[in-house]
Amino acid sequence: MIKKIVVIGGGTAGWITALFVDSFFRSKNLDVDVTLIEPNNNKPIGVGEATTSAFSFFLDFVGISKIEFLKETKATFKYGILHKNWSSNFCSYYGPTDDPHFFIPTEKDGFEFLNAYPVSIGESVANHHLYTKMMKLNLSPYYISGKDIKKSNPYIEGYHFDNFKLSSFLKRKNKNVRLFNGSVKDVCFNEKGFIKNLVLNDNSEIYGDLFFDCTGFKKVISSKIEGFKLIDIKKYSKLNRAIAFQKENKYKNLTYTKATALKNGWVWETPTQERIGSGYVYSDEFCNREEAKIELDNFLGYNLENFEEIEFSPFIQKKPWNKNCVSLGLSCCFIEPLESTSIHSLITNCFEFLNTNKLQEGFFEEKNINKYNKIIVGQQFDFLDFINMHYQGGRKDSNFWKYMNNEGITVRNKEIINLSKTKFPSKDDFLRIGINSVSTELFIPVLDGLKIFDKKVVNKKIAELNIKNKIYKTFNEINLAHEEILKKSIESKSFFSSFL
């Protein structure tokens, strides 16, 4: 039986993992000791962070109030992304994260008429999503009922936050996890190659049965285990440098991330209640740091003086679970910042590992390890395809965009684009091994925003199914429901100033 679990690495990933693991075993009434080793002077990468609805699940699971979280970390809501200049016509489109077919069934063959109908009449798919309407009106997901604050809609939002504030907040919420401050100096193994104990920089020894590596790109623990190997994905994910900075939130946008494509990458703008975390992520294969800085300054309209430079290399660990070590967060994988897959993966991977495995005799058998790794690696390739699809809008104004539209497109995305010329994709067309795999709810607004769909194909399908009257009736009901939600939802700025 596993009795001692050690999480290595502080910051956002370490504290999310430690609190999640501790809460999981307490919910099962299992006596498991959880220890977190946090480096002295640990400094999270302070670039501003965004995550998905998975973070809401995490807060609920560990018993943290969302209102308290918003108040203490100065976080904001995230309903999606506003993409600018990602296609050949340099237009903008929204990428909302709500799924209109979550509550309303598709046709029997999987045809998603709620997403298809806007295409058939030449309108934006995203504009018919509730979350897009809420982004445009800068609304919170709450309303006032008497003296109570209640959710105004059935969907689960994501968040924008400051990594420094979040990790400090999670640390304050800790009640049961034992904390050691120090850095790992050595890793000791038993005769089977499993980690026996860690030696810290003060020569103290930390023993454990199961170890979680949350040390980010350094991969302090996992990189020392036999069988460690990275899958190279650089052919399809070229970005590897970032110029990160903070600026005042003059726009007072509090509900979406802004992603503006430039010639050699793109600029993110992630709003919190106090400021915007921003940066230019680019590929040094197509421009050097001086050229990237000039391009960023031109975008900003001034010479940026205070910034942080970050280097990374896109990768997926071949064995996220190796022996008695599980890599999570940036130790496990990283594609690029677009679409907030990092913390989403951390939470869903942690849940997948704990929920599908029983910590008992035979736990470390190869069949269990191989099953988990197949799911997690599959999930990351889902994310790779989804992120890569954003670059398929036909921009050819630089060598970077020419590459991404030709050699840089994934095999699966070629298949999806070709398929979309003859039919409107259904969830089955995106099915692959993985957990929470990216499907139509996210792919369709991006494909539509990049003008991939053929209006004639969609109209032909609607005519074949003879469902126009059903579509009109359903859309009328949905729009009435949306109007009620929008009417009662508190404006975000007012929510933060009045209720936190």
Side-chain angles (χ1 to χ4, degrees), residues 207-419:
Y207 287 81
D209 304 310
L210 176 64
F211 297 80
F212 287 96
D213 187 341
C214 299
T215 60
F217 295 137
K218 294 179 181 178
K219 309 173 192 67
V220 171
I221 308 302
S222 56
S223 61
K224 293 178 173 61
I225 302 174
E226 182 183 0
F228 170 80
K229 187 175 182 180
L230 303 181
I231 300 172
D232 188 351
I233 57 172
K234 290 192 285 291
K235 178 179 179 181
Y236 306 113
S237 183
K238 282 293 181 184
L239 305 187
N240 61 355
R241 298 288 185 274
I243 302 170
F245 58 99
Q246 299 181 10
K247 63 179 183 177
E248 182 184 353
N249 190 352
K250 293 181 179 179
Y251 312 109
K252 302 305 177 185
N253 151 42
L254 299 172
T255 61
Y256 59 84
T257 302
K258 189 182 292 185
T260 305
L262 302 185
K263 284 194 172 183
N264 295 291
W266 60 278
V267 173
W268 76 81
E269 294 176 87
T270 306
T272 69
Q273 296 174 47
E274 297 178 327
R275 50 84 175 166
I276 289 178
S278 189
Y280 181 29
V281 57
Y282 65 96
S283 171
D284 69 355
E285 185 175 326
F286 296 94
C287 72
N288 58 41
R289 64 185 298 276
E290 288 76 19
E291 293 168 330
K293 178 61 167 54
I294 291 171
E295 191 176 8
L296 175 60
D297 288 343
N298 289 337
F299 169 78
L300 295 172
Y302 60 86
N303 179 34
L304 181 68
E305 295 182 351
N306 298 315
F307 56 89
E308 179 181 1
E309 294 187 77
I310 302 168
E311 297 184 9
F312 61 91
S313 183
F315 74 94
I316 299 171
Q317 268 214 50
K318 189 174 183 179
K319 295 182 178 181
W321 178 6
N322 192 5
K323 306 292 186 181
N324 62 335
C325 177
V326 179
S327 297
L328 293 173
L330 299 179
S331 294
C332 172
C333 49
F334 188 69
I335 300 169
E336 63 150 280
L338 189 63
E339 291 294 351
S340 307
T341 60
S342 182
I343 292 180
H344 175 94
S345 297
L346 163 67
I347 295 168
T348 57
N349 293 6
C350 194
F351 181 76
E352 174 71 13
F353 178 81
L354 295 171
N355 202 46
T356 59
N357 295 289
K358 295 180 179 179
L359 304 192
Q360 56 191 12
E361 206 68 35
F363 174 69
F364 291 115
E365 290 181 1
E366 281 298 312
K367 65 178 182 180
N368 295 330
I369 294 175
N370 292 339
K371 179 183 177 182
Y372 173 83
N373 287 340
K374 185 176 182 180
I375 290 172
I376 301 309
V377 172
Q379 180 203 45
Q380 292 306 313
F381 275 101
D382 279 347
F383 291 150
L384 176 62
D385 285 325
F386 179 52
I387 290 171
N388 180 269
M389 184 63 82
H390 291 68
Y391 295 90
Q392 309 311 320
R395 270 191 72 161
K396 296 179 180 178
D397 56 310
S398 69
N399 288 333
F400 168 74
W401 285 100
K402 289 175 184 176
Y403 175 87
M404 293 304 297
N405 276 269
N406 291 285
E407 302 101 301
I409 183 173
T410 67
V411 173
R412 190 165 177 240
N413 281 347
K414 285 181 183 178
E415 295 171 352
I416 292 171
I417 291 173
N418 288 331
L419 174 72

Side-chain angles (χ1 to χ4, degrees), residues 4 78 103 119 157 160 227 234 237 285 300 356 402 446:
K4 293 186 177 181
K78 181 188 175 184
F103 299 101
V119 176
E157 66 279 357
H160 307 104
K234 290 192 285 291
S237 183
E285 185 175 326
L300 295 172
T356 59
K402 289 175 184 176
V446 172

Side-chain angles (χ1 to χ4, degrees), residues 6-10 35-42 171 178-186 198-204 206 215 218 220-221:
V6 181
V7 179
I8 306 94
T35 296
L36 174 67
I37 301 174
E38 185 174 51
N40 293 315
N41 302 317
N42 183 63
K171 188 174 182 178
R178 292 201 304 159
L179 175 63
F180 282 85
N181 290 112
S183 300
V184 175
K185 184 171 71 173
D186 197 12
L198 306 175
V199 180
L200 304 188
N201 54 346
D202 62 358
N203 292 319
S204 59
I206 305 293
T215 60
K218 294 179 181 178
V220 171
I221 308 302

Side-chain angles (χ1 to χ4, degrees), residues 180-198:
F180 282 85
N181 290 112
S183 300
V184 175
K185 184 171 71 173
D186 197 12
V187 182
C188 301
F189 299 90
N190 64 19
E191 66 280 359
K192 293 183 179 180
F194 282 60
I195 299 173
K196 183 175 66 173
N197 66 279
L198 306 175

Side-chain angles (χ1 to χ4, degrees), residues 433-453:
I433 293 173
I435 56 172
N436 294 343
S437 294
V438 184
S439 191
T440 51
E441 69 277 4
L442 297 178
F443 257 111
I444 295 300
V446 172
L447 289 165
D448 179 59
L450 298 177
K451 308 303 179 186
I452 302 294
F453 295 128

